[in-house]
Amino acid sequence: MITADFRAKAEKEWQKITNPSIPQIFIGMATCGEAAGALSIYKSIESTLMKNHIEARIHKTGCLGMCYCEPMVDIIKPGQPRITYRNLEPETAAELITDYLVNNNYRTDLALGAWGEAIDGIPNLFEIDFLKYQERTALKNIGVINPEDISQYIARGGYKGFEKALCTQQDEIIDEVEKSGLRGLGGAGFPTGFKWKECRKTESYPKYLICNADEGDPGAYMDRSLLESDPHSVLEGMLIAAYAIGCSRGFIYIRDEYPLAIKRVRTAIEQMGQYELLGENILDSGFNFDIEIREGAGAFVCGEESALLASIEGNRGMPRHRPPYPAESGLWGKPTDINNVKTLANIPAIITNGAEWFADRGTGSSKGTAIFALTGKVANRGLIEVPMGITLRKIIFDIGGGIPNGKEFKAVQTGGPSGGCLPAELLELPIAFDSLAVAGSIMGSGGMVVLDEDTCMVDVARFFLDFAKQESCGQCIPCRLGTKQMFDILDDITKGKGRQTDIDMLLELSESVAHTSLCGLGRTAPNPVLTTLRYFQNEYEAHINHKRCHANVCRLLVEEGNIDE
Amino acid sequence: MNKIAPVLSFFKKRDDKPSDKELIRENPCIDCSLCLEVCDKGLWPSILLEDIKNGRFADSKKHGIDECNDCGDCTTECPMSIPLFKYLRLGKILSFYNGNKSGLIPILLELQSNFGYLPKDMVSHIARFLKLPEGHIHSVASFYKSLRLTPPGRRHVCICRGTACHISGAPQLTRDTEKLLGIKEGETSTDNEYTLDNVACVGCCALAPVITVNSETYGKMNSDKVQKLFKKTDTKDENPG
């Protein structure tokens, strides 16, 4: 066990941070924070503290998910709540330090919110629109703790789920997960408990566990944020899964476009080793497990589980036919369980709080919460965790704050290249695995890109087909050539060379590609075309018949149109 | 003057570098042990080279290859111009994965982070070490987008083509950057200064459109900012320090 001593020490240490004797400063240093300039803020704050001889402690945290407010800084002053400041520049950050820490001026103009209570014109952070409707379980630690310090994670109840799991029968853990109704949050929505059970049943050893962090969907970054801001929650989920299934070796497959996530996970794994949470005889339970990081090398198709296996084995990442499923014959022919980052991050909470607690939220067949990366033409862009069954309108207009610059909402794209575009008529659609499938889209890994009136839907369809065409592994013909043909037709339409027969041709091609491709990439590649045709056929017709692009995106059409006039 | 300099004068100092074939088939090393003398860490690079060449990774670990700090002194001192330094780097990577075939992709990625690309000779060495056909390595290297077989420019510019970036103006940004740098996507400028590429998604969608230059991320780009970005880095480099 993590000794009670150590947990108490960690909690005491955390108490010192939340209820400090000297000011505590937290700077959001995830990739998005750094891209927004968090490093220069860090330097500026450090030098201001030195100059004014202020004794304070600086923590590097992850990202709170409010990417529209980056770079962000939190300050806890002795006797005051934690206050979050937004959109800082190096100069304003320096001002803030002197004003707040020296002159006791709250700087309400820079503040976003105070944690837990409203003070002096600063609203309660959790009451502002972006956070009010969210229910954070998997994301509960992001932006709160220092991801490179295991004791902060432990102080906030970390590894309690694993400790509880170690005292439980393995079958009971799997039953609990099955009862909770947790479904794979990587896109396909396969029941997690069932997968585990299958893998546990297979009589072949050793068994492997893989965490799929190859988040290739353009427009989605939930896994990156989670791994950068709270890697231990995912690793704890892996430990529980490995114990329940009986795996002895685990891999976490992260794409190499996320160097910071790789670094933080590496640190986290090292720390787990120090606290006997990895290796032989973990916490004196007789359970052995090791986690290894494998970097992806920039192939979208490796997010598909059989391609991922091929990549870990050191081959070209090409999918193979299923069945046999990895649960029977996976990595090196051994039973392998593959789960997404977000699925695993939900496990500790399910084990600690019980299946009923988890199943309480959500709709009939989609339990718990969904994590989305809300991006595109929306005012509040960021990471959200909402209960399943929430409507699109609530997400886009209440949490996201609507469309900026007074533009009109046109569509929302969910599920990346495998998903579809949903129009304004479907804004009341509740988010769940089944309802999205009926509308022609998918839940996907959780990318949610909002499109406004300046977006041309034909161009969006062309963009996704271009992506699918480039990322197709080239193994099966429907995907390799079908996506190319569809792309060519769409390209012609956007260039004003559309023919009357194009729409029928696209529909026909979509059907054959979707039905005959080998893996998920090909099978879902036509989705963006099908949904845009279903909901925005008038735009296709305008492009083909009148050579017009109403959004002024398709350049050749726009330029020719100008000449005509 | 070095202690064994008189002995060395018997050998003709080679100006040309020994070819890889030579290095493998014959051993140009004359056991002068100069490399041992210059090594700060007290390693014996020529012995390590033998270990690596014969695929004895356990031995190379025993001989302390992990301590090598890539200073390159052994290579400059070698009278036979053996590129020891290059081999030690490779050996370090391979010995970490213990010649395991499944480590191919991490090995290639690590090699690339050392050399910027996958040099052809190194690829053939890896093939020999891992006992894989060279064609297999080429098939893997050409499949993955992050692996490259040609050297990139000094500044590797990647434009994100994620969905959020696309609708926020990444196509226009690509055209602007192409015009500014005078190269098309996927090309390297003739002075080896810039390589322009695209990347599937760097996961900074809230800051779209995004450009990365040598893995540093720049958000909320537009054509003015692009101009400033490349101008700024240009002038900075002209006055180092």
Side-chain angles (χ1 to χ4, degrees):
Chain A
M1 289 292 128
I2 297 181
T3 52
D5 270 5
F6 181 69
R7 197 176 277 282
K9 205 174 128 208
E11 273 162 14
K12 214 167 138 197
E13 198 61 34
W14 181 244
Q15 205 61 38
K16 263 192 214 159
I17 294 170
T18 48
N19 202 353
S21 50
I22 57 167
Q24 309 282 327
I25 300 167
F26 305 79
I27 306 177
M29 294 278 233
T31 305
C32 44
E34 284 186 7
L39 268 176
S40 52
I41 304 267
Y42 184 89
K43 280 184 198 143
S44 146
I45 289 183
E46 214 174 24
S47 66
T48 319
L49 289 174
M50 291 268 271
K51 228 187 300 172
N52 295 309
H53 308 289
I54 305 170
E55 199 188 340
R57 210 173 136 195
I58 305 183
H59 304 266
K60 289 181 182 176
T61 62
C63 133
L64 197 55
M66 308 173 86
C67 305
Y68 67 104
C69 295
E70 294 285 2
M72 289 160 72
V73 170
D74 298 357
I75 300 178
I76 305 180
K77 219 173 131 171
Q80 294 284 352
R82 186 164 170 172
I83 300 176
T84 301
Y85 294 91
R86 59 178 287 177
N87 296 106
L88 294 174
E89 303 273 329
E91 299 80 39
T92 44
E95 275 173 38
L96 171 71
I97 294 296
T98 46
D99 283 352
Y100 184 37
L101 294 184
V102 182
N103 304 328
N104 283 324
N105 175 355
Y106 282 123
R107 286 306 296 261
T108 20
D109 55 324
L110 297 172
L112 179 70
W115 292 40
E117 52 181 307
I119 38 164
D120 275 1
I122 303 176
N124 182 347
L125 184 71
F126 303 107
E127 286 297 314
I128 66 171
D129 288 341
F130 188 79
L131 291 172
K132 196 160 63 178
Y133 302 99
Q134 295 197 38
E135 280 182 28
R136 294 193 163 185
T137 51
L139 299 183
K140 73 173 178 192
N141 282 330
I142 66 163
V144 180
I145 59 167
N146 178 352
E148 298 191 4
D149 187 351
I150 190 172
S151 68
Q152 293 192 5
Y153 178 73
I154 290 175
R156 282 182 53 93
Y159 292 108
K160 266 191 184 155
F162 177 57
E163 283 179 354
K164 192 174 166 196
L166 282 181
C167 310
T168 319
Q169 281 294 315
Q170 281 134 320
D171 290 321
E172 278 174 43
I173 300 173
I174 297 182
D175 282 345
E176 194 79 5
V177 173
E178 208 166 16
K179 250 194 290 174
S180 74
L182 176 69
R183 292 171 69 171
L185 295 169
F190 196 77
T192 307
F194 185 71
K195 216 186 216 176
W196 289 15
K197 202 179 242 170
E198 285 299 303
C199 193
R200 178 163 169 75
K201 260 200 324 220
T202 314
E203 291 272 333
S204 176
Y205 301 91
K207 292 179 184 176
Y208 297 106
L209 176 80
I210 296 172
C211 170
N212 182 351
D214 189 56
E215 183 183 44
D217 275 13
Y221 58 93
M222 303 75 51
D223 297 357
R224 173 184 69 70
S225 261
L226 199 50
L227 290 174
E228 281 175 5
S229 311
D230 190 17
H232 285 289
S233 66
V234 181
L235 296 170
E236 187 184 351
M238 282 182 82
L239 276 178
I240 296 171
Y243 174 72
I245 298 167
C247 305
S248 53
R249 206 165 151 206
F251 293 92
I252 175 162
Y253 189 90
I254 313 179
R255 61 197 289 250
D256 77 327
E257 284 90 339
Y258 293 168
L260 190 64
I262 294 171
K263 193 181 136 229
R264 297 233 164 115
V265 173
R266 191 163 285 147
T267 318
I269 289 178
E270 273 167 25
Q271 287 175 347
M272 283 170 81
Q274 285 162 15
Y275 291 101
E276 290 178 26
L277 288 162
L278 278 183
E280 306 235 318
N281 194 12
I282 295 172
L283 301 179
D284 282 334
S285 63
F287 163 56
N288 306 329
F289 187 60
D290 250 317
I291 299 178
E292 214 176 291
I293 299 179
R294 278 301 160 91
E295 289 172 43
F300 172 68
V301 71
C302 287
E304 204 277 343
E305 54 184 19
S306 58
L308 192 152
L309 295 174
S311 177
I312 293 185
E313 287 170 5
N315 298 319
R316 286 167 81 102
M318 285 185 171
R320 62 163 172 76
H321 191 267
R322 294 178 305 169
Y325 287 97
E328 290 159 22
S329 166
L331 204 56
W332 296 297
K334 299 291 176 193
T336 307
D337 175 66
I338 305 174
N339 286 125
N340 182 266
V341 171
K342 297 177 288 291
T343 319
L344 289 169
N346 269 311
I347 300 289
I350 293 178
I351 301 298
T352 328
N353 303 327
E356 287 80 28
W357 167 84
F358 187 81
D360 257 359
R361 287 162 308 165
T363 63
S365 61
S366 310
K367 298 291 184 201
T369 54
I371 303 175
F372 288 106
L374 186 62
T375 58
K377 302 289 178 66
V378 60
N380 304 342
R381 296 184 266 192
L383 208 61
I384 58 170
E385 182 169 8
V386 286
M388 295 272 189
I390 193 171
T391 60
L392 279 170
R393 182 183 296 282
K394 207 154 197 172
I395 292 183
I396 295 163
F397 289 91
D398 293 347
I399 297 177
I403 316 295
N405 307 327
K407 301 270 184 183
E408 199 68 31
F409 169 84
K410 189 180 221 170
V412 55
Q413 208 281 335
T414 64
S418 323
C421 300
L422 305 174
E425 298 95 83
L426 291 178
L427 274 175
E428 300 303 333
L429 186 81
I431 296 279
F433 286 102
D434 317 316
S435 60
L436 281 173
V438 171
S441 184
I442 61 162
M443 184 88 141
S445 62
M448 189 176 266
V449 185
V450 180
L451 313 172
D452 69 356
E453 57 183 296
D454 286 343
T455 319
C456 168
M457 300 313 288
V458 187
D459 179 64
V460 169
R462 177 185 168 276
F463 163 76
F464 280 118
L465 259 295
D466 186 24
F467 184 82
K469 180 190 74 161
Q470 284 188 33
E471 297 295 342
S472 168
C473 76
Q475 189 178 198
C476 70
I477 295 166
C479 175
R480 181 179 72 220
L481 298 179
T483 51
K484 165 92 172 76
Q485 286 303 324
M486 289 171 75
F487 170 77
D488 284 349
I489 294 174
L490 289 165
D491 196 46
D492 277 352
I493 296 177
T494 57
K495 285 185 175 145
K497 289 186 231 152
R499 288 165 299 257
Q500 295 297 332
T501 51
D502 277 352
I503 293 183
D504 291 334
M505 184 62 104
L506 277 175
L507 286 171
E508 200 186 319
L509 272 169
S510 298
E511 201 177 324
S512 14
V513 172
H515 283 106
T516 53
S517 291
L518 177 67
C519 77
L521 191 148
R523 267 181 238 151
T524 55
N527 277 356
V529 178
L530 288 173
T531 49
T532 46
L533 271 172
R534 183 160 151 194
Y535 300 116
F536 300 96
Q537 192 164 355
N538 57 341
E539 285 199 27
Y540 281 85
E541 280 160 3
H543 278 75
I544 295 171
N545 300 335
H546 310 295
K547 313 279 178 229
R548 283 231 164 244
C549 175
H550 291 301
N552 283 353
V553 171
C554 303
R555 283 169 78 231
L556 286 172
L557 288 189
V558 174
E559 279 158 21
E560 272 173 26
N562 286 344
I563 296 166
D564 286 347
E565 281 158 22
Chain B
M1 199 63 173
N2 206 291
K3 273 184 275 180
I4 60 161
V7 187
L8 274 182
S9 59
F10 285 105
F11 297 95
K12 193 170 157 240
K13 168 113 183 168
R14 286 181 60 152
D15 292 329
D16 59 322
K17 281 191 181 154
S19 73
D20 282 305
K21 221 183 238 170
E22 242 181 297
L23 261 177
I24 296 160
R25 294 217 180 123
E26 309 152 22
N27 191 358
C29 177
I30 51 169
D31 292 334
C32 65
S33 76
L34 264 183
C35 47
L36 170 67
E37 264 175 50
V38 293
C39 185
D40 295 339
K41 300 279 172 191
L43 304 177
W44 197 335
S46 64
I47 297 284
L48 288 170
L49 176 71
E50 280 299 298
D51 292 340
I52 295 163
K53 265 168 57 182
N54 297 315
R56 294 193 301 257
F57 297 106
D59 286 359
S60 69
K61 258 189 181 163
K62 219 186 296 166
H63 293 146
I65 192 160
D66 294 330
E67 282 171 40
C68 169
N69 61 353
D70 290 346
C71 67
D73 284 352
C74 48
T75 313
T76 26
E77 284 299 314
C78 180
M80 304 308 283
S81 301
I82 303 172
L84 285 159
F85 159 70
K86 213 160 103 177
Y87 281 85
L88 291 189
R89 268 191 178 182
L90 179 68
K92 239 195 311 190
I93 300 167
L94 288 173
S95 65
F96 182 76
Y97 291 96
N98 216 351
N100 192 340
K101 277 175 205 169
S102 72
L104 177 62
I105 293 164
I107 287 171
L108 292 179
L109 280 170
E110 184 113 18
L111 189 73
Q112 177 161 288
S113 71
N114 272 306
F115 292 94
Y117 71 112
L118 303 175
K120 200 158 177 271
D121 51 336
M122 289 287 128
V123 168
S124 52
H125 285 307
I126 291 177
R128 222 164 35 78
F129 295 140
L130 296 182
K131 300 196 176 62
L132 285 171
E134 211 172 301
H136 177 79
I137 298 189
H138 274 281
S139 83
V140 169
S142 56
F143 183 83
Y144 293 98
K145 208 161 174 272
S146 310
L147 299 172
R148 48 187 312 135
L149 294 158
T150 49
R154 219 153 56 80
R155 271 182 231 140
H156 193 188
V157 183
C158 285
I159 299 177
C160 180
R161 60 180 172 101
T163 321
C165 290
H166 179 81
I167 60 163
S168 310
Q172 181 62 38
L173 202 63
T174 312
R175 286 192 287 273
D176 287 340
T177 318
E178 279 178 351
K179 211 164 127 196
L180 198 72
L181 302 180
I183 42 172
K184 291 256 171 260
E185 212 173 85
E187 289 178 352
T188 305
S189 60
T190 42
D191 57 353
N192 256 340
E193 188 64 24
Y194 292 103
T195 295
L196 187 61
D197 264 325
N198 61 34
V199 52
C201 180
V202 290
C204 288
C205 311
L207 300 167
V210 177
I211 284 187
T212 65
V213 182
N214 291 352
S215 65
E216 238 180 74
T217 316
Y218 298 89
K220 292 188 181 161
M221 297 305 289
N222 52 34
S223 42
D224 286 347
K225 273 192 176 168
V226 167
Q227 232 151 31
K228 237 189 258 166
L229 174 70
F230 292 119
K231 222 171 168 182
K232 203 174 92 191
T233 33
D234 275 343
T235 44
K236 199 161 60 183
D237 275 20
E238 275 163 22
N239 314 306

